[in-house]
Amino acid sequence: MINRNTGNSTGIRVKHRCFLHGLAAALTEEGRRNSIVKMKSDAVKKGTPRAPHRSLFKALGFIDEELERPLVGIAYSESEIVPGHIHLGNVAKAAADGVRMAGGVPVRFPVIGVCDGIAMGHEGMRYSLVTRELIADSVECMAAAHQFDALVFIPNCDKIVPGMLMAAARLNLPSIFVSGGPMLAGRKDGKALTLTTMFEAVGAVASGKMSEEELHELENIACPGCGSCSGMFTANSMNCVTEALGLALSGNGTCPAVMAERIRLAKKTGLQVMEVLKKDIRPRAILTEKAFMNALTVDMALGCSTNTALHLPAIAREAGFRLDFELLNKVSAATPNLCRLSPAGSSVIEDLHAAGGIPAVLYELSKKNLLNLDALTVYGVLGDAVRGAKNKNTDIIRPIDNPYMETGGLAALWGNLAPDGCVVKQSAVAPSMLKHEGPARVFDGEDEAFNAITSGKINAGDVVVIRYEGPRGGPGMKEMLGPTSALAGMGLDDKVALITDGRFSGASRGAAIGHLSPEAACGGVIALLREGDRIAIDIPARSIKALVSDEKLARRRREWSAPPPKVTHGCLARYARMVGSAAGGAVLSE
């Protein structure tokens, strides 16, 4: 075929061959250089004493030339039970291709991951948060045991992202992240459908607002394929925050799972990890105070899940920093809320991507100098992501001078009900519920509360209290998407508040206040509440109080005794013994 511009196809093929020969020579030179520079993986590859180790590598199909190059571990959470993970083998292969193109040797290994949606509303949800620590531990074990030189992390869903971020900070090996990307939204009558649609539909059926046939129709179209659920839920929140932290390339949080762009991004990530290795850029050099301030700022602008208030402190702890609710409120007070993605609004992650993604959000925030643009990243500094960025849809990403709210998406509250604090996604609260006072409807567990809601026993004005679901008392700090969605589906989300020492899915909306600390199992005031006690909530004033006298509370405390543990053996029992307060990120004691 003749090239239309030159008319010389032979010359072009010669140029192509020259380019490929040059690339091969460069990779050979890279391999030669790596054989001279000592690598961490030399501990399992080099010298006479390591002949047995090399024999095991060769049992895997490795050749001598590969053993001269860096070993790059690729941790990925592919499985056949999580929609967000079912395609991660393809993403991992693309990342591995990038590593090989840059002269490294990729080594893929799996980690576990729970689908919070499938685990929701039953005993399985107790195991979700627990896996965050298990994932961090398992990656640490694999990377240290096999002496990888660098790591590519491929998470996608709720606890996998923070678990891997914790591992990256703990190991401090040159590292980079690329997620599996968000699911496309389902569509019906021109409206986007998400997992929230389905959970709220359960409440609609219970209240007679929807038929079983309509419910069945929705369940076939709400979640149309692979990827993390399509709203600004916990998984997508954490993948977007990873961009802000500087550990991922632009597009990590928003490019849909099904796009070829996601595969290209994975290849570029594989190439880039070799640059990070060559420059010896370590996670703790990136995960500085500046990086965490950037992450919190982007979190507030996006209106992320309340779970970020649980995970960011845990990641910061591994990096040697302390994040607390006071800092969260400080950043929230200074950061306008620019996005109203599902469940707070009707737009979804694919809309955010089309509007310019996280770089466009960074661009808007930079107009008021709200970011540390000189913060180190895996590709340079954060300011590099802003250059050339544009806000392509001001309905999706509000301009900084016209935000949805002057303050951020999350808020921490204090009072006698939460002396150590609690958290609410204020951007998903109806204006009429920002201040609320009502009688407590007290339930010792999620199941009791859900049954009361769906059987019509909760009235407008009530404050539903779900206790003994904290990190220790749960154990495992269950998410309460079932109760919040049932309230929304019944039309009560702007009339009823819900407070808990457990937590909420990022898909929850309404006056849903979680992480009350200390929790009930540790003798927190929430354990002393009784049916009918008046509860006063004032989100703008950052206040949550039980309108009960100190004398009454003291008397009730004398009468209170800690309940016996719900689980006495296995993983959950061990977790309950070791886990700390939600106010500190629900991390395990050393």
Side-chain angles (χ1 to χ4, degrees):
M1 183 179 291
I2 303 297
N3 182 282
R4 291 178 184 271
N5 294 324
T6 66
N8 186 349
S9 63
T10 304
I12 289 173
R13 286 196 296 271
V14 169
K15 288 179 182 178
H16 287 173
R17 286 197 297 271
C18 289
F19 171 77
L20 292 173
H21 289 320
L23 179 60
L27 293 181
T28 301
E29 173 62 20
E30 181 75 15
R32 186 191 68 78
R33 186 164 61 250
N34 287 332
S35 70
I36 296 171
V37 178
K38 183 169 177 59
M39 295 174 283
K40 187 176 180 67
S41 60
D42 287 351
V44 295
K45 298 186 305 185
K46 297 291 186 179
T48 301
R50 296 296 179 257
H53 304 64
R54 290 193 295 275
S55 71
L56 291 170
F57 277 108
K58 290 179 178 180
L60 294 166
F62 281 67
I63 59 176
D64 288 332
E65 288 80 359
E66 287 178 299
L67 297 179
E68 295 294 327
R69 297 185 177 197
L71 292 183
V72 179
I74 298 181
Y76 69 116
S77 50
E78 183 181 29
S79 75
E80 295 183 348
I81 191 60
V82 187
H85 297 182
I86 194 167
H87 64 302
L88 292 190
N90 292 332
V91 180
K93 180 183 180 302
D97 289 343
V99 169
R100 283 200 183 278
M101 282 190 284
V105 179
V107 182
R108 287 175 280 180
F109 65 92
V111 299
I112 63 168
V114 165
C115 177
D116 276 21
I118 294 175
M120 194 73 65
H122 56 85
E123 187 67 18
M125 179 44 67
R126 301 194 190 286
Y127 288 87
S128 174
L129 184 58
V130 175
T131 65
R132 187 186 71 181
E133 321 305 312
L134 295 176
I135 289 162
D137 290 349
S138 65
V139 174
E140 177 191 358
C141 291
M142 289 293 289
H146 302 104
Q147 294 291 285
F148 294 130
D149 296 295
L151 291 165
V152 177
F153 290 92
I154 304 177
N156 216 30
C157 291
D158 292 39
K159 308 310 166 295
I160 298 86
V161 190
M164 287 187 174
L165 285 165
M166 290 166 68
R170 185 185 302 174
L171 288 160
N172 205 32
L173 292 172
S175 299
I176 193 167
F177 281 67
V178 58
S179 76
M183 183 186 294
L184 293 176
R187 299 283 169 177
K188 185 176 188 297
D189 300 328
K191 294 182 179 180
L193 308 178
T194 70
L195 186 64
T196 299
T197 307
M198 292 311 306
F199 276 96
E200 293 184 0
V202 173
V205 171
S207 63
K209 296 180 178 180
M210 181 181 290
S211 68
E212 290 283 353
E213 291 74 17
E214 290 171 312
L215 181 70
H216 183 70
E217 180 187 3
L218 287 178
E219 73 183 54
N220 286 324
I221 59 177
C223 298
C226 66
S228 48
C229 296
S230 54
M232 188 52 79
F233 311 150
T234 304
N236 293 324
S237 294
M238 290 305 304
N239 283 324
C240 290
V241 162
T242 303
E243 282 191 53
L245 283 171
L247 281 170
L249 302 180
S250 295
N252 178 68
T254 60
C255 175
V258 296
M259 284 189 171
E261 183 182 349
R262 174 60 57 181
I263 298 300
R264 296 196 298 270
L265 180 64
K267 288 179 182 177
K268 289 178 181 177
T269 299
L271 288 168
Q272 192 62 28
V273 77
M274 296 302 293
E275 282 296 306
V276 171
L277 174 61
K278 184 168 72 175
K279 295 175 181 177
D280 195 30
I281 299 172
R282 308 288 179 120
R284 286 183 211 159
I286 293 172
L287 295 174
T288 62
E289 186 176 353
K290 286 183 178 180
F292 282 103
M293 291 297 287
N294 286 337
L296 283 171
T297 300
V298 170
D299 185 325
M300 297 303 163
L302 291 173
C304 288
S305 163
T306 52
N307 278 315
T308 59
L310 199 66
H311 300 322
L312 283 174
I315 298 160
R317 180 175 180 265
E318 296 286 356
F321 292 94
R322 181 175 181 270
L323 294 186
D324 54 30
F325 287 158
E326 287 86 356
L327 181 60
L328 183 150
N329 269 358
K330 179 181 177 182
V331 175
S332 182
T335 308
N337 177 228
L338 305 181
C339 299
R340 285 289 167 91
L341 299 160
S342 175
S346 58
S347 55
V348 289
I349 301 296
E350 65 200 73
D351 298 324
L352 177 60
H353 187 66
I358 301 306
V361 176
L362 298 175
Y363 166 72
E364 290 293 346
L365 292 169
S366 70
K367 291 178 181 178
K368 290 198 173 180
N369 300 315
L370 294 174
L371 297 167
N372 298 293
L373 295 178
D374 61 343
L376 182 66
T377 70
V378 290
Y379 51 82
V381 294
L382 192 69
D384 295 335
V386 178
R387 272 185 219 105
K390 293 181 181 178
N391 184 351
K392 301 174 185 177
N393 188 335
T394 55
D395 291 330
I396 303 299
I397 306 170
R398 285 277 186 93
I400 195 78
D401 292 322
N402 182 33
Y404 283 102
M405 292 192 310
E406 293 295 337
T407 56
L410 300 184
L413 315 180
W414 286 269
N416 66 350
L417 262 178
D420 295 339
C422 57
V423 183
V424 62
K425 186 172 183 174
Q426 62 178 350
S427 60
V429 179
S432 61
M433 291 298 293
L434 291 172
K435 294 183 180 181
H436 180 74
E437 181 180 323
R441 305 297 307 279
V442 182
F443 303 95
D444 290 344
E446 178 193 16
D447 293 344
E448 286 183 24
F450 183 77
N451 291 335
I453 292 167
T454 54
S455 60
K457 295 178 181 177
I458 301 301
N459 304 308
D462 286 347
V463 178
V464 176
V465 178
I466 304 177
R467 62 190 181 189
Y468 296 107
E469 292 288 13
R472 182 172 298 178
M477 204 177 181
K478 290 169 71 176
E479 288 183 344
M480 304 294 159
L481 181 56
T484 59
S485 297
L487 288 170
M490 299 173 78
L492 291 173
D493 57 298
D494 60 349
K495 302 175 183 68
V496 171
L498 194 156
I499 66 174
T500 181
D501 54 5
R503 60 195 176 94
F504 294 106
S505 164
S508 291
R509 62 186 173 100
I513 302 167
H515 307 197
L516 268 73
S517 302
E519 62 175 288
C522 295
V525 173
I526 188 173
L528 309 179
L529 290 178
R530 295 184 180 174
E531 189 81 3
D533 285 345
R534 302 291 293 181
I535 306 294
I537 299 164
D538 190 336
I539 295 173
R542 306 299 189 246
S543 173
I544 182 167
K545 297 177 181 177
L547 302 182
V548 180
S549 70
D550 292 342
E551 292 77 12
K552 276 188 177 181
L553 290 176
R555 185 170 65 251
R556 292 178 187 179
R557 183 171 297 284
R558 289 192 295 271
E559 298 168 354
W560 177 82
S561 59
K566 296 175 184 174
V567 183
T568 57
H569 69 283
C571 165
L572 288 179
R574 183 170 63 249
Y575 182 84
R577 289 194 300 269
M578 299 176 66
V579 72
S581 168
V587 297
L588 300 185
S589 59
E590 294 291 346

